Amino acid sequence: DAGVIQSPRHEVTEMGQEVTLRCKPISGHDYLFWYRQTMMRGLELLIYFNNNVPIDDSGMPEDRFSAKMPNASFSTLKIQPSEPRDSAVYFCASSLQGTLRQPQHFGDGTRLSIL
Amino acid sequence: AQSVTQLDSHVSVSEGTPVLLRCNYSSSYSPSLFWYVQHPNKGLQLLLKYTSAATLVKGINGFEAEFKKSETSFHLTKPSAHMSDAAEYFCVVSDRGGADGLTFGKGTHLIIQP
């Protein structure tokens, strides 16, 4: 089992640039989640998908953030334009369809630094 | 509404001594409760989960947790700490079965002294 795969692991870019984070969920999982982790705010749910359809994006901070899931094996989180306050670790997680009391499986994260 | 409070931001124990990480929750329904561990530069890994079966739950790496409804607690314990246990631990509650029903605690940083 390959687990959830995120890329890149680290990203450093200047403010104003577009940033794209990528995620491959575990094969067969129907739910995909994007989280952001910072020291100040802890772990925050940004958006989640069920069967490739966005269900709840209320955690997305503002219009500069967007997420897509074009197929069951791939998702992107895009920030355009990026700002220094977007610096954080971004995690992708997936889980099996069901009651969602199923545990979520996390990737190793993308550490994003906006200069 | 649901919430979870991890009572200690940092816990320090000596290697070989017991570990206790405290978690209290509030929930309008019958909750599911999870403990996750995060090692440096890694994602969160599930340690154990409670979903209304046995109240004493055993997880990986010798950890266990006891669900106490009367105290609204789900404390994580381990009889003997190992250096490899040093990490961040998160208590998570879900009471509606929906993804937006997942609430993460702020985390407890476990330090193991040699």
Side-chain angles (χ1 to χ4, degrees), chain A residues 9-10 31 33 35 37 40-43 45 48 56 91 98-109 111, chain B residues 30-32 34 36 38 41-46 49 51 90 94-100 102 104-106:
Chain A
R9 288 297 314 276
H10 303 273
Y31 285 84
F33 309 83
Y35 291 90
Q37 186 180 38
M40 292 297 294
R41 301 173 67 91
L43 202 65
L45 176 66
Y48 78 94
D56 184 354
F91 288 102
T99 65
L100 286 178
R101 292 168 185 241
Q102 298 293 326
Q104 297 180 10
H105 299 261
F106 283 76
D108 286 342
R111 184 173 297 275
Chain B
S30 296
S32 291
F34 308 85
Y36 282 84
Q38 184 180 27
N41 300 315
K42 291 290 187 179
L44 279 70
Q45 179 188 15
L46 181 70
K49 64 177 180 178
T51 55
F90 294 91
S94 168
D95 69 0
R96 288 184 290 166
D100 58 355
L102 282 175
F104 284 77
K106 294 293 187 185

Side-chain angles (χ1 to χ4, degrees), chain B residues 51-69:
Chain B
T51 55
S52 75
T55 57
L56 181 63
V57 182
K58 293 186 183 299
I60 62 172
N61 301 335
F63 284 94
E64 62 182 38
E66 186 171 8
F67 173 71
K68 292 186 176 180
K69 187 175 180 179

Side-chain angles (χ1 to χ4, degrees), chain A:
Chain A
D1 190 349
V4 176
I5 299 172
Q6 292 186 246
S7 63
R9 288 297 314 276
H10 303 273
E11 176 87 13
V12 181
T13 191
E14 294 184 346
M15 66 177 294
Q17 298 297 309
E18 178 179 291
V19 173
T20 300
L21 311 181
R22 297 172 176 78
C23 175
K24 177 179 169 56
I26 293 174
S27 177
H29 282 191
D30 298 279
Y31 285 84
L32 184 139
F33 309 83
W34 281 101
Y35 291 90
R36 178 172 66 177
Q37 186 180 38
T38 61
M39 289 291 291
M40 292 297 294
R41 301 173 67 91
L43 202 65
E44 305 172 279
L45 176 66
L46 300 177
I47 184 172
Y48 78 94
F49 296 82
N50 178 22
N51 290 322
N52 313 338
V53 176
I55 303 300
D56 184 354
D57 65 354
S58 60
M60 297 285 262
E62 48 197 276
D63 292 344
R64 297 184 298 106
F65 286 69
S66 63
K68 294 182 180 179
M69 192 165 185
N71 57 62
S73 59
F74 184 66
S75 176
T76 60
L77 178 67
K78 188 172 294 186
I79 309 172
Q80 167 63 19
S82 58
E83 297 183 3
R85 60 192 168 122
D86 302 330
S87 298
V89 182
Y90 291 81
F91 288 102
C92 177
S94 69
S95 69
L96 284 169
Q97 186 175 19
T99 65
L100 286 178
R101 292 168 185 241
Q102 298 293 326
Q104 297 180 10
H105 299 261
F106 283 76
D108 286 342
T110 294
R111 184 173 297 275
L112 178 63
S113 297
I114 309 297
L115 306 177

